[in-house]
Structures are given as structure tokens and as C-alpha cells.
Amino acid sequence: LPLTYEKVPDLPDDDGITPLVLLHRLYLSIDPAMRGWMSSARSYLPPVPINGVMRGATLSEVIAVRGASRLKVGDVVSEFAGEAGGWQEYAIVSARSVRKIETWSELCSDSNNQIPRELPLTIHLSILGTTGLTAYFGFKRVGCPRLPSETKRPEVVLVNAAAGAVGSIVCQIAKNVYGCKVIGVAGSHAKCRLLMDDLNCCDAVINYRAMENEVTRNAKTSDPADLFALKSAEFQKRLKRVLKQIDAKSLDIVFDNVGGYQLNECLSRLNYFARVAICGAISGYNNDLTKQQTDNTVSHTALYMKHGMSIISLRAKIQGLIVLDYMKEWSKAKKDLARWVLEGKIRYQKEDIRAGLENAPSALVDLFKGQNNGKLIVKVGEQLVKKKEIVSRL
């Protein structure tokens, strides 16, 4: 992903048809989906072309406006993965492709809770952005949770990548809004402590990375397929143990961000009519998705469902999730998320913010290594509207 330098673009003359805005980028969201956008495999969005601007959700300020638009200079706008989203300092886009971010007063007009005096703009890329919206629609619409009053017992939810940006919000909604019992799967002792002690949103946790390290140390083989089988067996044992720990026998909802053996083993522990929300498969994002794989050649990190037959006998449901499918309902969802923040059901966590557009590629690499603490964001620049001169920071 090379860094190139260009002159700040000038807005063309008004054509009387399409209102345009010149945007100055403030923040970029770093998300696992970006890896898929760099693949030529069939997907919900076309791949980012070679030498094209990398796609991504953004927060930007409006520097100039041409044509009839409700936007004005100084407005902060958001955009997800379309015309205006991208790893660049400045962009000219249609005013219709961006959305002015809501104020807390607008989001919480029906709430009796005190409106916070100040929360950072970056919350519109985390809880109130596509991260929070993915958690909201994935859990509510695909997971279809039921309250204890409807089922006579709390439903049991497992979330992997539970300490991640999406997963941690899912855990809090499940525990604090729907009263579910929650099992979180995370990759370090610190992340497990975050879920159990700081956020208090999980009833039990599995540290999969410590488990994998233990399996690898004790294994008498280095063959990837053999290690995959050993990790699967050990994860199954630990899953059985934590279910017993929370006085449960099976899973009602699985919110999967990982794929691989974690999803595979969860399928054998489903309850009747369980729901599995497939939000991501980060364990296999670096596989070559243009090549067909068979049971005998499956990668040890692939999205591979050995226990898929249990879906039939248990009448369970597996459904993929793309947050863009719910765009018409984003406004309502944001109001719910904002209300839950005010009520203390979702706790705002300081994002992991890296400085400089030039550091976006390394931030994306860190995301896949698990070397981030919470929502990963790159800060591109400061708001410049009040300054006399607008120049490139690079």
C-alpha cells in the first residue's frame, strides 16, 4: 500500500445537478473486512483496484461546498466504504454520499438520562459507527435473543473475538440488555480480565491463545492438520468446562468473528433452534479464496464446518451478516445504542488511536496480529476549518 502525494483538489464549477463537497479526513476506521476488500473473490463489494485508494469507514470535515446541499463548511460527516470512504487526506465527493453525524441531543431526545457533556468524535466510528451497528444488528436480527421472561431461563451466548471492537459490544448487549449468560473467547489474559472484571460482560471466558500455545508445546507433531485437530479437541474440552461452570449444557446463540476450529466446535454444542451469526472469519482471511478447497485439502484456518450435520438435527440457523443490509434502520439503532450508553449498559472504551495516514497499513497488520486494544482507528489530521490556511500535513 504505497503512499502518494498529490495537490489538494479544487472543486469543479456547479453543474446544477450533483452537489459536491470537499472533505478533509479526520479519522479512518481499521476493520477486518478490509482484508476481504483486497481479494478478487466474489463479495458484497467490488475489490479495491490495484493502485486505487484503500476503502474504509471515515470521519471527515467539510471544507467547501458546491451546489445546493444541507451540508455546510465545518460539518463533520461519516461515510462507510463507498464513494467518500478512503485512505486519503482530501476527497471531492457527492454531498449525498456522506452523512452528518448526530449530536447526543438528537440521539437521546427521548431519554430522561443526563446527556454527556463531551465524548470524542471517534465514538462515531466505534459504538455509534459501523462497529456498534454490526454488533447491534448481528445480535438482534440474526441472533434473535429472547428475554429470560420469554424462555424461563437466560439464553446462553458465546462470542469469539469477544474483546474486539464488535465482540465486546455484543457481550455487553447480550448481558446487560437481554440478561443472557455470556461466554467470551479472547486471546490473552488481559483481554479475558477486561471482559470479566472491567466490563463485567461475561460469565466465563476461554483464553484460546494460551490454549493453542499449550497444545503446540505438548504436541508431538508440527503438521498443520494434526495441530488443527488437537486444538479442536482441546477447545471442545474447555467449552464443555465453561458451560458446566455457568450451569448450562448448550449454546443458544453463537456470534462468530473467527471461523476455524472455534466455530466448528461450537456447532456440536448448540441447543435446539440455536442461532449462529457469522460476522467474520478472521482466522481464514489470508487464505486464497479464489481456489476451491475440499475436505482433504482444507486449510487449518479455514471456515470449515465439520459438525455441520448437527445444524439439521438441531434445527439451528446459520446466517451471515453484512451491516449495509440494514442501512435504512441505522438511525433507530444509533438511538438505541446511545440510550444504552447513557444507561450504563454499554460502556464507552477509549479507542486505540494511531497517528498518521502513513501508519494505516501497519495498523491493519497489527489488527490481524491481535496487537490492538479495542477499536483501532487512525487519526489523519486535526480539524482545520477555523485555520486560515489548509495544507497537507504530510
Side-chain angles (χ1 to χ4, degrees):
L1 295 174
L3 186 66
T4 61
Y5 300 84
E6 298 176 358
K7 180 180 179 294
V8 176
D10 295 320
L11 278 169
D13 294 334
D14 182 12
D15 62 4
I17 300 174
T18 304
L20 300 174
V21 288
L22 172 61
L23 300 180
H24 171 236
R25 200 74 74 221
L26 302 176
Y27 296 97
L28 308 174
S29 177
I30 304 298
D31 300 293
M34 290 174 166
R35 181 62 186 87
W37 297 337
M38 290 186 278
S39 168
S40 60
R42 181 182 177 187
S43 186
Y44 60 97
L45 287 174
V48 177
I50 294 175
N51 295 324
V53 175
M54 184 59 197
R55 177 188 296 138
T58 63
L59 288 178
S60 308
E61 65 177 334
V62 177
I63 297 296
V65 181
R66 290 290 183 273
S69 172
R70 294 182 179 180
L71 295 175
K72 60 182 184 295
V73 172
D75 285 345
V76 177
V77 296
S78 63
E79 206 276 346
F80 172 73
E83 177 190 352
W87 290 11
Q88 56 193 144
E89 279 193 299
Y90 296 91
I92 295 176
V93 301
S94 165
R96 301 187 185 100
S97 69
V98 297
R99 176 176 183 159
K100 183 180 177 181
I101 62 171
E102 303 90 341
T103 66
W104 277 95
S105 297
E106 291 169 338
L107 289 168
C108 306
S109 57
D110 299 329
S111 175
N112 295 323
N113 293 287
Q114 184 177 357
I115 305 298
R117 289 185 177 181
E118 183 178 1
L119 280 174
L121 278 177
T122 48
I123 197 172
H124 291 276
L125 287 178
S126 55
I127 297 174
L128 300 180
T130 51
T131 297
L133 293 168
T134 298
Y136 179 96
F137 288 110
F139 188 69
K140 286 196 65 173
R141 287 301 191 82
V142 182
C144 301
R146 293 171 291 182
L147 294 167
S149 59
E150 301 175 72
T151 60
K152 298 182 181 179
R153 64 168 180 83
E155 292 206 294
V156 180
V157 178
L158 182 139
V159 182
N160 55 23
V166 172
S168 61
I169 298 175
V170 174
C171 290
Q172 292 178 82
I173 295 174
K175 180 77 173 175
N176 301 329
V177 178
Y178 285 92
C180 300
K181 291 184 177 180
V182 182
I183 299 170
V185 182
S188 71
H189 292 301
K191 290 179 179 180
C192 289
R193 285 196 301 271
L194 170 73
L195 296 168
M196 291 290 290
D197 301 331
D198 297 347
L199 296 179
N200 192 27
C201 61
C202 287
D203 299 279
V205 291
I206 298 174
N207 183 340
Y208 80 89
R209 199 176 298 276
M211 181 209 77
E212 288 184 347
N213 291 338
E214 180 181 329
V215 167
T216 302
R217 282 197 306 270
N218 297 331
K220 298 180 180 180
T221 177
S222 59
D223 180 77
D226 291 339
L227 287 173
F228 181 86
L230 290 170
K231 291 173 184 177
S232 298
E234 184 60 30
F235 188 80
Q236 184 64 238
K237 291 179 184 177
R238 300 195 183 204
L239 181 54
K240 184 178 180 180
R241 188 185 308 159
V242 295
L243 282 168
K244 185 177 181 180
Q245 179 183 330
I246 64 172
D247 193 26
K249 295 181 179 180
S250 53
L251 304 170
D252 297 293
I253 301 173
V254 175
F255 194 100
D256 180 60
N257 295 294
V258 175
Y261 70 81
Q262 292 186 25
L263 171 61
N264 196 24
E265 296 308 315
C266 286
L267 296 182
S268 70
R269 288 285 167 185
L270 297 180
N271 197 0
Y272 289 101
F273 303 101
R275 291 82 68 198
V276 181
I278 306 293
C279 178
I282 196 169
S283 67
Y285 279 170
N286 287 324
N287 292 341
D288 187 349
L289 301 180
T290 64
K291 294 182 179 179
Q292 186 174 5
Q293 293 175 323
T294 67
D295 289 359
N296 294 327
T297 63
V298 66
S299 164
H300 63 286
T301 59
L303 181 64
Y304 173 53
M305 291 184 283
K306 175 182 175 183
H307 299 296
M309 286 298 293
S310 61
I311 301 300
I312 300 172
S313 59
L314 297 171
R315 284 85 90 195
K317 178 182 75 171
I318 296 182
Q319 182 177 332
L321 163 68
I322 299 297
V323 73
L324 292 176
D325 293 342
Y326 304 95
M327 284 187 72
K328 292 182 180 179
E329 302 174 60
W330 282 13
S331 293
K332 165 67 167 57
K334 285 186 176 185
K335 289 183 178 181
D336 284 345
L337 290 165
R339 186 178 77 253
W340 294 338
V341 170
L342 294 184
E343 293 172 350
K345 294 176 180 177
I346 297 178
R347 201 182 86 185
Y348 169 73
Q349 302 174 73
K350 188 176 180 180
E351 298 91 357
D352 185 343
I353 299 178
R354 312 291 174 87
L357 178 62
E358 65 276 16
N359 292 317
S362 61
L364 182 58
V365 172
D366 284 350
L367 179 69
F368 283 91
K369 291 182 178 179
Q371 296 176 352
N372 59 296
N373 297 307
K375 174 63 183 175
L376 190 53
I377 292 172
V378 170
K379 183 175 182 178
V380 180
E382 302 283 353
Q383 290 179 260
L384 300 175
V385 167
K386 295 182 181 179
K387 296 187 176 182
K388 293 182 179 180
E389 185 178 2
I390 299 173
V391 296
S392 171
R393 190 188 64 81
L394 296 174

